[in-house]
Structures are given as structure tokens and as C-alpha cells.
Amino acid sequence: MNDNSKKKTNKTIGKNIRTFRHQHGWSQEDVANRLGISIPAFSKIETGVTDINLSRLEQIANIYEIDVVQILAMDAEEVEQQPSNLSIVQKKLLDREAEIVILQRKMILLYEELRNIQTPAHA
């Protein structure tokens, strides 16, 4: 699998995981706590920044009480069609959440840069 395919797959899986989280009415913190990981780590999964292994996928599927196949098989286009039935206010809310995800991704990258800058000083 080439790099672009891998990134696209990670993003699709992340979107699917986020969709299931929304269907349960849970926050990222709720799911991160259930997984025993940090909120930034879970955010990386949802945004497709990090590769997700089968073990973690199984853990997430168990939390949502679904099969791993459901996370993998859900088509991104199918997800995008669902908001068309939402009211204007809900659409704006989804847009804002997308902006938040982008900002979270930027924060994670800046945190990692800062951590990498500080790490050599302690070595």
C-alpha cells in the first residue's frame, strides 16, 4: 500500500470511528478513557494522523459494540450523505467540529515539535 493510499485509509477509518462516536453521543475524552489512552492519542486516530493496528480496532469495535468490519466497511461517501438531512444549525456545528479537529491536529504537531526540541537537552 503506497503512502497516499495508507493516509486515505487512515482518514476513512478515522471518520468512521468519529461517526460511531457521534452516534453514541460520546466525546473524544469518553472514548479515550474507555480505551485507556490520552485524548490527543485518540484524536490522532480519528483524524487519521496515526496508523491504527488491528488490536486497537478490535478494542474500539468492542466499545461501540460492533464488528471491526463495520468500522472498515463503512463508506466515507455514505457518511457524507447523512448530514444532508440535518438542519442548518447542525450543519454549522459539524463545520465547527471539523475546524476543531484541524486545530487539534495542529496542537498535537506543535506539542510533538516542542517535545522533540526539549528531549535532546535532557539526553
Side-chain angles (χ1 to χ4, degrees), residues 10-11 14-15 18 28 42-50 101-102 104-105 108:
N10 286 345
K11 286 183 183 282
K15 280 183 183 180
R18 185 171 58 243
Q28 285 187 336
F42 182 70
S43 178
K44 283 182 179 182
I45 291 171
E46 276 196 352
T47 56
V49 170
T50 189
V101 168
I102 290 167
Q104 285 176 325
R105 184 180 299 157
I108 290 166

Side-chain angles (χ1 to χ4, degrees), residues 18-53:
R18 185 171 58 243
T19 298
F20 285 115
R21 177 173 61 81
H22 288 171
Q23 288 173 353
H24 283 78
W26 294 338
S27 68
Q28 285 187 336
E29 182 179 13
D30 295 331
V31 180
N33 288 339
R34 291 167 195 248
L35 292 172
I37 61 176
S38 69
I39 297 168
F42 182 70
S43 178
K44 283 182 179 182
I45 291 171
E46 276 196 352
T47 56
V49 170
T50 189
D51 290 342
I52 184 166
N53 61 36

Side-chain angles (χ1 to χ4, degrees), residues 62-76:
N62 287 336
I63 288 170
Y64 293 139
E65 298 178 350
I66 58 173
D67 293 326
V68 170
V69 175
Q70 288 178 271
I71 295 174
L72 298 174
M74 197 155 106
D75 189 348

